[in-house]
Amino acid sequence: MHLYAAANGAALAVSGSPDDFTARRRLDEHRIECVAADPGAPGRAFCGTFDAGVFRTTDGGASWSAVGTDALPESVTSLAVSPADPDVVYAGTEPSAVFRSLDGGETWAELAPLSDLDSASSWAFPPRPHTHHVRWIEPDPTDPDRLFVAVEAGALVRSFDGGETWQDRVPSGKRDTHSMATHPDRPGRVWVAAGDGYAETDDAGETWTSPTAGLGHGYCWSVVVDPADPESVLLTAASGPMRAHRVESAEAYLYRRASRDGGGDGEWERLDETGLPTGPGATRAVLAAGRTGGECYAANDRGLYRTTDFGDSWDRIVVPWDGTRRTAAGLAVVA
């Protein structure tokens, strides 16, 4: 196992097996917003911070150094590595913009301005209403030129030419998307967890549906798809942002859905008492798919967890932030 996890005030590189974990904790002095890595370059990862731009490791998390200081703003709120090429890296920022590196983070350039879109005048992040940011970037694994970008809050926008131009939000799309998932076996399908609910598309974002039967909480944060079964989805959700993010008032839950095509009934099932802390006292978890069928990882304020049966049971991975309750910011699995 080899993964990178991030929480407010900590970045972890975890490797090994359940009997012999090695974990390196770094960047304690920064407000970490996101993390990204790719199996094509497992020793390299990126952390985005709100106060100092992007940090990169090339030695599996033993050391980190700032990159892009001449081009990137200090507030980097999302990161993604292209599934087609690990040297292509995207960074989303506050105020909302998307930057791209073609050389593994050495140099960066802004893509077409998001602020030129018609809907941009209505974007606003409620805690800081004078601004907004790119919360998530999802490169399409079936088309390297297709990008899905979530602005918090206001729009889910798309590019079909690698960021040279952008397509504005569509009426059926969510306005407060927090995370997205795609799958190489389902071209054109995108799964979305948003503050204004759950949604999915089968036509690359032209139209969206919101299957919510059985889903008892509408503030959705993280979504992930089973690597071997794109009809199986895990989702973390709460009743609102205070219940999702704040340790003092946390109450978040985990849901699973299998579509009728995949042999399920199409409804969401809440997964309680599976080994992953949920309910009163637990913040929303950040999810990341593993490398094999049924494998998924989760990070929340209680720690880091792994399932091999896609949510039926979870094992805790002991990591150095145990004992300090930190709201998770990001998770990237590379091996």
Side-chain angles (χ1 to χ4, degrees), residues 1-220:
M1 183 193 74
H2 193 176
L3 61 82
Y4 298 91
N8 189 14
L12 293 177
V14 182
S15 59
S17 65
D19 298 323
D20 186 22
F21 281 123
T22 299
R24 300 183 176 96
R25 175 174 160 178
R26 300 288 188 270
L27 302 177
D28 289 34
E29 67 274 23
H30 294 289
R31 177 177 163 183
I32 300 173
E33 291 284 317
C34 50
V35 64
D38 186 270
R44 185 170 65 199
F46 303 86
C47 271
T49 72
F50 196 76
D51 53 5
V54 170
F55 288 82
R56 181 185 63 183
T57 180
T58 58
D59 54 15
S63 61
W64 297 79
S65 58
V67 294
T69 55
D70 59 336
L72 295 169
E74 66 178 12
S75 296
V76 173
T77 50
S78 55
L79 289 163
V81 180
S82 169
D85 184 348
D87 284 336
V88 178
V89 188
Y90 298 94
T93 66
E94 178 175 311
S96 296
V98 178
F99 291 77
R100 182 180 62 192
S101 173
L102 299 176
D103 52 16
E106 287 294 326
T107 60
W108 299 80
E110 185 178 357
L111 298 178
L114 295 176
S115 57
D116 289 347
L117 292 169
D118 290 343
S119 70
S121 61
S122 66
W123 301 347
F125 182 55
R128 299 187 295 277
H130 60 284
T131 190
H132 42 78
H133 52 250
V134 174
R135 169 54 60 197
W136 194 269
I137 302 170
E138 185 72 17
D140 191 324
T142 67
D143 183 347
D145 289 327
R146 192 155 61 191
L147 294 173
F148 302 92
V149 170
V151 175
E152 188 179 38
L156 194 164
V157 305
R158 301 166 293 157
S159 176
F160 302 114
D161 53 16
E164 295 298 320
T165 60
W166 298 101
Q167 305 293 316
D168 209 343
R169 67 191 186 194
V170 298
S172 58
K174 296 299 182 183
R175 303 298 175 92
D176 188 24
T177 295
H178 295 139
S179 68
M180 290 178 266
T182 50
H183 197 287
D185 293 339
R186 289 293 184 273
R189 180 173 289 188
V190 186
W191 296 260
V192 161
D196 49 340
Y198 171 82
E200 57 189 47
T201 178
D202 284 315
D203 55 15
E206 290 295 324
T207 59
W208 295 84
T209 59
S210 298
T212 57
L215 184 60
H217 296 81
Y219 185 88
C220 304

